[in-house]
Amino acid sequence: METRAIVIEEYGHADQLKESNVALPELGEHQVLVKIKATSVNPIDWKLREGYLAQMMPWDFPIILGWDVAGEIVEIGSAVKDWQVGQEIFSRPETTRFGTYADYTIVDDHLLARKPEGASFEDAAAVPLAGLTAYQALFTHGKLKAGEKVLIHAGAGGVGIYAVQLAKNIGATVITTASKKNHALLKELGADQVIDYHTTDFSEVLEDIDLVFDTMGGDVQRDSFKVLNENGRLISIVSQPDEELAKNVAVAESIWLQPDGKQLQEIADLMTEGKVKSVVGHTYPLTAEGVKKAHELNETHNAKGKIVLVNE
């Protein structure tokens, strides 16, 4: 079938984004077709649009960007057992050139999770990529436990907001960095200590940290080694840590997200229970113009919370 989609036909700036009709692949036996109600913007979207990931993902054009979806199942593959037409779901689909800036997308059934009860499609669409990134950094790789101290850089960012809540929920002491205007929000989300990075050097005021979640790279990552204890772990989602500095701690690694329906369902259940929520700072329509504006905002790194695209 064909779907309306926002695509790129070559790499470049946001003005490469255009509306087009794209033929989707045939539905596999373990796949579902989802009518998209909302999707969200993540840094991978514009990095791929600019061509930075071209070697890692050498795809044919046109490419539909976007790897978050909240919507409704409209068709199921022949071997799908646990899902029905009409169910409201959200997901981080596999990373293919048929992304989610579209009216319809195809999702593997093992990557689906039920949309949290009481959550809007916008709130659900904000979660999958950012929420799973936070979950895997903290728990799968970071092995964060109750009673430990975690430093989460950029707590008010798309990933940071979920990381603060997930870390607090398991009983960790949560420290984060943010500009002054976001301190109240982060305290509300569960942060025990918020450091204003404009006025304070975190590496001078912190010590004996068990886990650093690095969302910044560069000097922030290098300085993070100073605050870790000897059993400390540093998990980055931006760049590979320095090998020499890594020798002084237990773990220092850069990770890449693995889509996971079961982990996403865990986050969904926490949302249903009111223990985790989305902070949607900005919404735009799922049109070529709306996506351009959303990308331009995301590239400034100044957005509070998530940027969501709504399919009216």
Side-chain angles (χ1 to χ4, degrees), residues 124-198:
V127 176
L129 191 150
L132 284 172
T133 299
Y135 183 104
Q136 291 175 14
L138 294 173
F139 308 127
T140 311
H141 300 277
K143 306 284 193 277
L144 183 65
K145 298 179 204 59
E148 290 193 315
K149 287 199 285 190
V150 59
L151 169 59
I152 296 162
H153 285 297
V159 174
I161 274 170
Y162 297 108
V164 166
Q165 296 176 83
L166 290 169
K168 189 64 183 174
N169 187 63
I170 64 134
T173 297
V174 180
I175 305 160
T176 187
T177 57
S179 59
K180 191 71 181 163
K181 67 178 189 287
N182 293 321
H183 285 208
L185 167 68
L186 289 164
K187 289 282 179 70
E188 181 197 325
L189 295 177
D192 296 287
Q193 182 181 353
V194 188
I195 295 169
D196 183 350
Y197 61 86
H198 291 296

Side-chain angles (χ1 to χ4, degrees), residues 30-68:
H30 279 287
Q31 293 182 318
V32 304
L33 182 67
V34 177
K35 182 171 175 44
I36 296 172
K37 304 283 191 175
T39 179
S40 87
V41 177
N42 296 286
I44 183 182
D45 302 3
W46 56 264
K47 287 176 182 174
L48 199 142
R49 188 204 76 222
E50 292 271 6
Y52 296 135
L53 305 178
Q55 282 181 301
M56 187 192 290
M57 299 167 188
W59 295 336
D60 295 333
F61 293 105
I63 295 170
I64 308 172
L65 301 170
W67 293 278
D68 276 325

